Amino acid sequence: MGNQTAYQSLTQTFQRLHRFGHLSAIASWDQAAMMPAKGNEARAAAQAELQVLMHQLITAPELKTQLDAAAQEELDAAQRANLREIGREWRQANLLPAALVEAKALAAARCEHAWRSQRKNNDWQGFLPNFREVLRLAREEATLLAEATGVSRYDALLDKYEPGMTSANLERIFGDVKTWLPGLIAQVRDKQSGERVIQPQGPFPVEKQRQLGLEAMGLLGFDFDGGRLDVSSHPFCGGVPEDVRITTRYRDDDFVQSLMGIVHETGHARYEQGLPRDWLSQPVGRARSMGIHESQSLSFEMQLGRSRGFLQLIAPLIRKHFGDQPAFDADNLARLYTRVQPGYIRVDADELCYPAHVILRFEIERALIDGEIEAEDVPALWDEKMMAYLGVDTRGNYRDGCLQDIHWTDTFGYFPSYTLGAMYAAQYFSVLRKQTPDLDSRIAKGDLAPVFDWLNANIWSQGSRWSTDELVARATGEALNPAHYRAHLEARYLG
């Protein structure tokens, strides 16, 4: 060790964790995008082994001594922020025994792998035994974290993805949304019922969709030397900041879904590619929270991608790949991309219906983790809330109901991030438009620099330097204010 400071010793350990995390991320991407089915057992075992190894590293007894010593050392502001984030990760990991970490990884892999066929077969009863085990372990984890931090079980899991956020705060924010969202959806559907929307006429060959997607990624500034585009059953952005892996899925009768999916994932990717390079191996160099991550993909997809200016910019590219047809007129594309139609599937939901899907999941998963309901209660609650919030009947349709998401096979506390992200994104663009009054006409001309420059300066380059509230306040002048979100939706859909 020589003359190393305690802080330097900690950063070395976290650099090792970062490199193991790199391997784990690429192996996970491969599992979702490339791996043949028979590889699953071996991959799950290898990933679980790697998780145990990483857990041993972060729970080594000497880290406690180093953390205490580093707190007394002379550090600059960035190092101090890094020490804060190291401490946060260390505390979370040390509250969980290695046996629980391994059991969770294995149960999640088993549940997720079986879910793939169970969802196709509408087989809720088949899914239930694996799901019960995942839930049991999630509650065990939540209990350990909650006892140590003095918060509720659900808040303890929420804090992993949204540091500082509480379910009380979410209930207030989402409770407000529930008072105006159903009325706004009804109002907009009434308004749109008189609009003529021309549907694009397929088929749209997958290879041409792929080329269009790659061009869109180029427009959006994706660095192809530091990432790639592939296919998976559930679109995601994975990999690592130096090698970002985006996936999408294609249907030859609909290019709209894959194109906006790619725009969405490119937002995640640009955040990863824009994180502070000098700090990448350290916790302070990571994305701030899942809500902030989602605010990047929704800045790209909802604020930018579905704006009239961007659709004017992309219309010629759509014509280039699929030929000319009346549906590809920019105004028609704008109507197409802002069509409000309540449906079953969250990932296909329009911008207005999407938060209802998220609120429903938040309410169910909070009740599950806090022990108010059991796994077998999910379908009935799901049916009731889908009908109340969106007027959609899901009875008996598990495939398009409570089996549609991959998340509950291994993760609780994540769903609120999606709507928090939409709220943050609306707040950014409210400020951006004030600072750049001609933003929309610049976007239409292909000048997207004001958007990227602002996000890079205020969000990407900041990593985890600040708390979420402070990051947002520094960028926009105030912490999260959901009023911007409502104003954005009313302006776009009723304006």
Side-chain angles (χ1 to χ4, degrees):
M1 294 292 283
N3 299 325
Q4 264 199 336
T5 66
Y7 173 77
Q8 284 167 336
S9 300
L10 285 170
T11 60
Q12 276 189 346
T13 299
F14 275 80
Q15 182 170 57
R16 290 189 73 196
L17 283 164
H18 169 73
R19 288 172 179 162
F20 286 144
H22 179 144
L23 294 177
S24 176
I26 298 298
S28 294
W29 165 84
D30 176 76
Q31 195 170 12
M34 294 285 168
M35 187 188 77
K38 285 183 181 172
N40 196 63
E41 284 296 307
R43 180 64 52 89
Q47 283 280 54
E49 190 76 46
L50 191 51
Q51 296 305 317
V52 170
L53 188 61
M54 291 168 74
H55 191 258
Q56 285 168 347
L57 256 184
I58 200 170
T59 54
E62 64 266 22
L63 261 67
K64 169 82 174 80
T65 318
Q66 289 167 1
L67 274 162
D68 291 342
Q72 307 305 315
E73 290 172 354
E74 273 193 41
L75 303 175
D76 65 27
Q79 291 170 324
R80 191 93 16 231
N82 190 38
L83 185 61
R84 177 196 72 215
E85 294 300 308
I86 284 175
R88 187 183 136 69
E89 289 196 16
W90 176 84
R91 273 190 302 280
Q92 280 190 335
N94 277 271
L95 293 170
L96 304 181
L100 176 59
V101 174
E102 185 173 23
K104 271 189 66 202
L106 290 170
R110 202 174 301 122
C111 190
E112 190 269 331
H113 192 65
W115 163 84
R116 294 182 194 191
S117 53
Q118 287 158 350
R119 183 190 173 198
K120 282 193 193 101
N121 299 330
N122 199 41
D123 182 11
W124 169 258
Q125 288 308 319
F127 177 74
L128 205 47
N130 283 335
F131 181 55
R132 278 200 192 100
E133 179 61 7
V134 167
L135 178 61
R136 184 184 73 75
L137 293 167
R139 283 174 172 170
E140 198 178 313
E141 176 188 14
T143 303
L144 287 168
L145 295 174
E147 281 168 358
T149 51
V151 298
S152 77
R153 289 199 294 195
Y154 183 74
D155 281 11
L157 295 186
L158 179 64
D159 193 67
K160 288 167 58 176
Y161 307 103
E162 284 312 305
M165 184 54 75
T166 65
S167 48
N169 206 359
L170 282 175
E171 275 164 6
R172 180 182 57 75
I173 293 167
F174 290 168
D176 174 61
V177 172
K178 277 165 44 177
T179 63
W180 54 262
L181 186 66
L184 182 58
I185 291 172
Q187 217 180 331
V188 172
R189 292 197 70 200
D190 189 47
K191 174 176 180 269
Q192 290 186 349
S193 65
E195 290 177 0
R196 181 162 173 261
V197 180
I198 307 165
Q199 291 300 325
Q201 298 305 304
F204 306 102
V206 164
E207 185 47 38
K208 290 188 173 177
Q209 289 192 55
R210 185 180 136 75
Q211 291 305 325
L212 173 63
L214 290 168
E215 274 199 71
M217 287 166 72
L219 268 182
L220 294 168
F222 183 86
D223 175 6
F224 287 99
D225 290 333
R228 50 181 289 142
L229 172 69
D230 293 280
V231 175
S232 72
S233 61
H234 190 100
F236 69 94
C237 175
V240 292
E242 307 90 329
D243 178 6
V244 181
R245 304 296 176 93
I246 292 181
T247 67
T248 190
R249 56 181 170 198
Y250 301 105
R251 283 176 31 191
D252 62 10
D253 62 340
D254 174 23
F255 75 91
V256 170
Q257 187 188 346
S258 82
L259 179 60
M260 276 303 150
I262 287 171
V263 171
H264 178 100
E265 300 304 340
T266 302
H268 283 305
R270 287 293 313 268
Y271 187 14
E272 290 289 321
Q273 291 181 337
L275 287 167
R277 277 290 182 268
D278 296 348
W279 288 99
L280 278 189
S281 69
Q282 298 300 313
V284 79
R286 294 197 193 133
R288 176 60 223 158
S289 77
M290 287 304 157
I292 296 297
H293 225 309
E294 210 51 42
S295 77
Q296 301 314 293
S297 56
L298 295 174
S299 286
F300 273 53
E301 182 198 353
M302 294 302 179
Q303 295 295 330
L304 178 59
R306 291 172 197 263
S307 70
R308 206 164 274 271
F310 186 77
L311 292 167
Q312 280 174 325
L313 176 63
I314 210 156
L317 295 182
I318 294 172
R319 286 195 288 272
K320 179 177 113 179
H321 289 286
F322 302 129
D324 200 0
Q325 50 173 283
F328 300 157
D329 171 74
D331 286 341
N332 187 68
L333 286 172
R335 286 192 289 274
L336 196 65
Y337 274 117
T338 53
R339 201 84 190 129
V340 174
Q341 176 67 55
Y344 297 115
I345 305 295
R346 174 185 63 87
V347 293
D348 297 341
D350 58 76
E351 184 178 24
L352 213 48
C353 294
Y354 197 96
H357 289 269
V358 170
I359 292 168
L360 166 150
R361 286 157 171 76
F362 158 66
E363 290 172 345
I364 293 176
E365 71 173 16
R366 190 194 59 74
L368 276 171
I369 294 298
D370 286 343
E372 293 163 21
I373 60 170
E374 292 304 324
E376 50 271 25
D377 301 325
V378 169
L381 261 174
W382 188 284
D383 296 341
E384 179 193 312
K385 288 177 187 288
M386 277 298 278
M387 186 49 80
Y389 301 166
L390 289 168
V392 171
D393 186 354
T394 51
R395 286 173 301 181
N397 183 356
Y398 307 113
R399 192 181 72 161
D400 298 330
C402 53
L403 280 182
Q404 66 179 272
D405 290 296
I406 203 169
H407 300 59
W408 281 344
T409 62
D410 74 346
T411 303
F412 291 89
Y414 186 97
F415 277 117
S417 305
Y418 289 118
T419 290
L420 291 171
M423 290 175 170
Y424 289 129
Q427 191 159 323
Y428 305 153
F429 273 74
S430 160
V431 171
L432 248 167
R433 287 204 161 84
K434 283 194 190 82
Q435 289 176 0
T436 313
D438 61 342
L439 183 66
D440 292 291
S441 61
R442 286 175 72 170
I443 289 169
K445 293 190 189 95
D447 178 11
L448 307 181
V451 175
F452 303 150
D453 292 348
W454 191 93
L455 290 173
N456 184 48
N458 289 289
I459 310 294
W460 305 344
S461 64
Q462 302 303 307
S464 279
R465 179 78 185 266
W466 319 104
S467 73
T468 308
D469 281 353
E470 188 169 351
L471 178 75
V472 175
R474 282 169 165 268
T476 66
E478 56 180 340
L480 178 63
N481 177 357
H484 294 290
Y485 181 56
R486 184 176 181 178
H488 156 69
L489 293 175
E490 288 175 346
R492 174 170 284 177
Y493 291 90
L494 295 177

